[in-house]
Amino acid sequence: MSHTPTDDQVQFIGMIQTQKVSETHAPRGPAIDRDYVRAFAQAHEQAGFDRILVPHHSTSPDATLTVAYAASVTERIHFMLAHRPGFVAPTLAARQFATLDQYTGGRLAVHYISGGSDEEQRRDGDWLNHDQRYARTDEYLEVLRKMWTAERPFHHHGDHYQAENAFSEVKPVQTQDGLPHVPVYFGGASEAALKVAGKHADVYALWGESLDQARELTTRVRAEAARHGRQVNFSVSFRPVLAETEAAAWARADRILEETRRLRVVAGYSRGGPQQSEGARRLLAAADQGPRVDKRLWTSIAQETGGRSNSTGLVGTPEQVAEALLDYWELGVTTFLIRGFDPLEDALDYGRELIPRTRALVAERATARRAQSQRRVA
């Protein structure tokens, strides 16, 4: 039982937060708005998303508990919990994730974030450097796998973790190759990150890079995975900006950029992202090519925010953006994480046309591929 995508299909991941906030919406009121979380999660289920990301930040409400609440008010949609190794022992995390997978009926995946900013990590007391954090994640994932698959207590003595007679009575609902497993999503574009990705990732997540950048990075990840006799699926993140016409979509993008700049001035923010993040540097490299790259990749927000987070957009009509997504699918990308600048409203809007149009294009192209393959065999 697995909910990871295959090469002939496409999955969509959305993202929910505990209050209405984005580059164009300043946070207001309490950090947790239960009514908004419920409506936000249910909107994604209604719109036809496959999974919802609940992000992690060192100052934000607990993502694990947010997933538990959002799962309790939905029925079918799966979740992706953003989790930073290093603040909870892997033995405890393994039991938490297995328990959550049981309570959600096998709807959990975990995106492991090793951390791209010393400042961010130190808020929670982590003083390891960038490469040390990835080495710790490697060991962390090894212990998780042992906890989920071990039939009897085991000892672990590693560089970062020590445990004696470690064991979990609870195992995940989901399986991989017949063994209990919670799908592993993983990102990071540094050399240290790619080594961990090749060894552990079920789905490797990229930010919204150009087609050439995505081709180069997925090739490197595939090669690293092949060293371990593995295959990896790929996810790319975008901020679609849709309208009925292309001109109207670009006009909307201009308004989004203007409001983003206004709010950043009000908040006193300066440009610049996590200086240790290779992913941020790659987004800025795309932005250096101009505000519009490839068919409709929009880089202005990434440029404005210093490449922080998934901040590149795809701008156009639903049909045009679906065709742009298909170009990434042709590179082997089978999952798209899409979220809007008007978060809840955009999620519903994506479900009306963008998601079904993209699924239809992928199905059509996959059918054509199979027919072509069969003709070659014949």
Side-chain angles (χ1 to χ4, degrees):
M1 175 181 174
S2 176
H3 196 67
T4 52
T6 60
D7 289 341
D8 62 348
Q9 61 181 202
V10 63
Q11 291 193 358
F12 284 93
I13 302 176
M15 190 180 95
I16 63 172
Q17 292 172 281
T18 57
Q19 60 179 168
K20 184 173 183 176
V21 61
S22 77
E23 290 86 348
T24 58
H25 293 278
R28 297 179 181 177
I32 294 178
D33 181 339
R34 285 199 309 163
D35 292 342
Y36 183 73
V37 173
R38 180 177 63 252
F40 208 179
Q42 291 173 349
H44 280 82
E45 188 163 73
Q46 177 184 336
F49 283 82
D50 298 280
R51 195 181 290 279
I52 302 169
L53 166 66
V54 177
H56 173 99
H57 188 268
S58 60
T59 63
S60 64
D62 185 84
T64 306
L65 297 180
T66 301
V67 168
Y69 174 71
S72 75
V73 296
T74 54
E75 298 178 358
R76 303 176 305 280
I77 197 162
H78 290 230
F79 290 86
M80 181 165 69
L81 166 68
H83 175 77
R84 286 186 184 167
F87 306 110
V88 176
T91 49
L92 174 58
R95 299 196 303 276
Q96 289 177 331
F97 299 158
T99 301
L100 192 52
D101 199 49
Q102 288 285 339
Y103 278 124
T104 61
R107 291 193 280 158
L108 182 66
V110 181
H111 181 87
Y112 297 90
I113 306 168
S114 299
S117 165
D118 284 349
E119 178 184 3
E120 173 80 3
Q121 295 295 119
R122 288 173 182 176
R123 288 194 183 109
D124 280 323
D126 179 22
W127 293 83
L128 295 187
N129 66 36
H130 177 276
D131 287 2
Q132 288 172 333
R133 292 196 290 268
Y134 280 101
R136 178 177 60 191
T137 297
D138 184 13
E139 184 178 341
Y140 195 92
L141 291 168
E142 288 180 359
V143 176
L144 289 182
R145 185 174 292 107
K146 289 180 184 177
M147 287 290 289
W148 292 331
T149 59
E151 297 180 355
R152 59 183 62 85
F154 64 90
H155 301 325
H156 176 83
H157 299 288
D159 294 333
H160 298 277
Y161 299 103
Q162 308 286 327
E164 293 187 357
N165 294 312
F167 186 71
S168 178
E169 295 177 0
V170 58
K171 309 294 186 185
V173 172
Q174 300 173 86
T175 61
Q176 184 181 74
D177 299 327
L179 297 174
H181 182 70
V182 174
V184 174
Y185 285 67
F186 190 82
S190 66
E191 288 300 323
L194 295 188
K195 290 179 181 178
V196 181
K199 188 175 179 181
H200 296 285
D202 298 311
V203 180
Y204 177 83
L206 302 80
W207 282 342
E209 303 182 347
S210 70
L211 287 165
D212 285 343
Q213 287 176 308
R215 184 181 296 105
E216 180 266 339
L217 188 52
T218 56
T219 298
R220 290 165 60 199
V221 173
R222 285 192 181 96
E224 192 63 40
R227 294 181 60 246
H228 300 278
R230 305 181 66 248
Q231 293 184 334
V232 180
N233 288 304
F234 294 97
S235 171
V236 177
S237 301
F238 293 110
R239 312 289 292 277
V241 178
L242 306 180
E244 291 185 1
T245 68
E246 182 175 4
W250 283 111
R252 184 185 174 200
D254 289 339
R255 292 193 297 272
I256 289 169
L257 178 59
E258 180 180 353
E259 182 64 5
T260 297
R261 286 173 171 165
R262 187 188 73 81
L263 289 180
R264 287 176 66 79
V265 169
V266 170
Y269 292 152
S270 60
R271 291 185 180 183
Q275 295 303 302
Q276 299 161 306
S277 170
E278 181 63 22
R281 285 193 285 270
R282 292 176 67 91
L283 287 192
L284 291 176
D288 286 344
Q289 299 178 46
R292 304 184 187 187
V293 179
D294 295 331
K295 288 180 180 177
R296 51 196 67 261
L297 182 67
W298 181 48
T299 66
S300 295
I301 298 296
Q303 183 73 49
E304 178 66 27
T305 61
R308 189 179 296 273
S309 186
N310 59 313
S311 48
T312 50
L314 292 174
V315 181
T317 67
E319 183 176 12
Q320 288 172 328
V321 172
E323 289 172 351
L325 292 175
L326 186 65
D327 290 338
Y328 286 88
W329 181 82
E330 291 281 10
L331 297 180
V333 175
T334 51
T335 297
F336 296 106
L337 194 159
I338 56 173
R339 64 187 182 100
F341 294 93
D342 295 315
L344 190 155
E345 296 83 357
D346 282 341
L348 290 169
D349 192 32
Y350 298 156
R352 293 186 186 98
E353 289 193 71
L354 178 60
I355 290 176
R357 281 180 181 272
T358 307
R359 292 195 197 281
L361 286 175
V362 166
E364 179 182 322
R365 191 64 58 85
T367 299
R369 277 186 179 180
R370 285 193 292 271
Q372 186 178 25
S373 178
Q374 290 170 356
R375 284 195 295 270
R376 282 202 214 94
V377 172

